[in-house]
Amino acid sequence: MKNDVPVQLFDISKRFGDTLAVDSADFSIQKGEFFGLLGPNGAGKTTLIKMLIGLANPTEGTAEIFGYDINEDYQDVHSYIGFAPAEANLDREFSIFDNLRFHAGYNGVSPREQSERAEQQLKKFDLWEKRDNKPYELSTGMRKKLLFARSMIIEPKIVILDEPTAGLDLETKEAVQNNIKKITEEGVTILFTTHQIDEAERLCDRVAIMNEGKVIEIGPPEELLKSGQGDLVRIKLTEYIDSLPNELTGDGYRADFVREEKEIKATVADGAEAAADIMKILHGAGIATKAVQVEKASLEDLFLQLTSEDSSEDSQINSSGGS
């Protein structure tokens, strides 16, 4: 290792034609950290990790893995990273034991150790009894676990997981999350992508919220909530309205009207003060209210507010979206 920083991004960008899929991402991930890239589909999360693992070349900027440049030191970078993709890319014709064994050999593990490591990982992820099965004979959850086992076969310092629970039912999702925790017990650094906010809030030490290619906020989930927008104000109306008063749609509140609920929502720093101000604005505009409620905002509330603000600003500046 050249240094002790697992991942360091330096204004890295990726453009596909006129689309800026990743826009000047610049942050670091610390040793042993569980770091999440959180954003909607198309935010740029997968493109960012593809650059880190060598499946896409940056248009601008670069990144380092333990001090090794992803463009110039590919072999060194590759030796530190285990990767589990969102979609299974396993060899259908080999047993799951041989899938792991061959993957280990491909990545430079000695013949003597290949079988030992395959057995170790299959036992750790409760797949040993299925060792002679083909991948297509496993359930979706088991295939996810097999991808995790494969990502650990080279004993990596960093594990990258792309949408590890996407498309799973609740029971399987919880089982897979428990298996992700087994990876953390190895002391490795984890980088994973997700668009599931509850997952990021539950698992991550820090998250980077991405939207349209840009990192718009970064920090521990609890700190992001404390950093300004920690309360959610809900105001029930007696009837539908065509539009919100201008005072509620600008930088002060950026409130939303949820038509299905006849409810106004705003994520704010001080809920009690904001609720009084919003009620005054509504009554001044002749809008009748039925109830007001102030509660602590969740990461989902903050996420929706930040991505809404970011998209609104982009629409004023540039009509082309990110990816």
Side-chain angles (χ1 to χ4, degrees), residues 225-251:
L225 292 173
K226 292 178 183 176
S227 65
Q229 310 301 314
D231 291 339
L232 176 66
V233 176
R234 300 176 182 268
I235 298 176
K236 291 281 188 181
L237 307 184
T238 58
E239 58 187 24
Y240 291 108
I241 57 175
D242 293 327
S243 62
L244 288 168
N246 291 336
E247 299 96 317
L248 298 184
T249 60
D251 291 335

Side-chain angles (χ1 to χ4, degrees), residues 100 121-122 125 127 145-153:
L100 293 194
Q121 294 303 323
L122 289 175
F125 288 98
L127 291 170
K145 292 198 291 184
L146 181 58
L147 290 174
F148 298 159
R150 191 182 65 178
S151 74
M152 295 294 291
I153 201 75

Side-chain angles (χ1 to χ4, degrees), residues 140-141 144 164-174 176-177 196:
T140 301
K144 286 285 187 181
T165 63
L168 301 180
D169 60 72
L170 289 177
E171 184 177 355
T172 306
K173 175 181 173 181
E174 184 175 354
V176 167
Q177 287 178 341
Q196 301 181 49

Side-chain angles (χ1 to χ4, degrees), residues 1 3-10 26-36 64-66 157-159 184 187-192 204-207 218-220:
M1 297 181 192
N3 63 41
D4 291 330
V5 183
V7 181
Q8 176 73 65
L9 279 62
F10 300 98
D26 192 288
F27 60 86
S28 62
I29 301 174
Q30 302 306 309
K31 192 172 182 180
E33 190 170 29
F34 198 126
F35 191 94
E64 292 179 355
I65 304 298
F66 290 112
K157 301 296 183 183
I158 303 167
V159 172
T184 67
V188 300
T189 301
I190 292 183
L191 169 61
F192 92 125
C204 293
D205 298 313
R206 283 194 303 154
V207 296
I218 187 168

Side-chain angles (χ1 to χ4, degrees), residues 119-187:
E119 179 178 349
Q120 178 187 35
Q121 294 303 323
L122 289 175
K123 286 181 176 178
K124 183 171 71 174
F125 288 98
D126 302 318
L127 291 170
W128 180 242
E129 292 183 358
K130 300 287 185 179
R131 60 188 177 276
D132 295 325
N133 287 65
K134 306 289 179 65
Y136 61 83
E137 296 174 319
L138 303 180
S139 67
T140 301
M142 286 182 177
R143 285 196 296 273
K144 286 285 187 181
K145 292 198 291 184
L146 181 58
L147 290 174
F148 298 159
R150 191 182 65 178
S151 74
M152 295 294 291
I153 201 75
I154 64 168
E155 298 180 353
K157 301 296 183 183
I158 303 167
V159 172
I160 298 178
L161 310 173
D162 190 15
E163 298 282 1
T165 63
L168 301 180
D169 60 72
L170 289 177
E171 184 177 355
T172 306
K173 175 181 173 181
E174 184 175 354
V176 167
Q177 287 178 341
N178 289 334
N179 277 277
I180 293 175
K181 290 179 180 179
K182 290 185 180 181
I183 297 176
T184 67
E185 294 169 2
E186 301 289 321

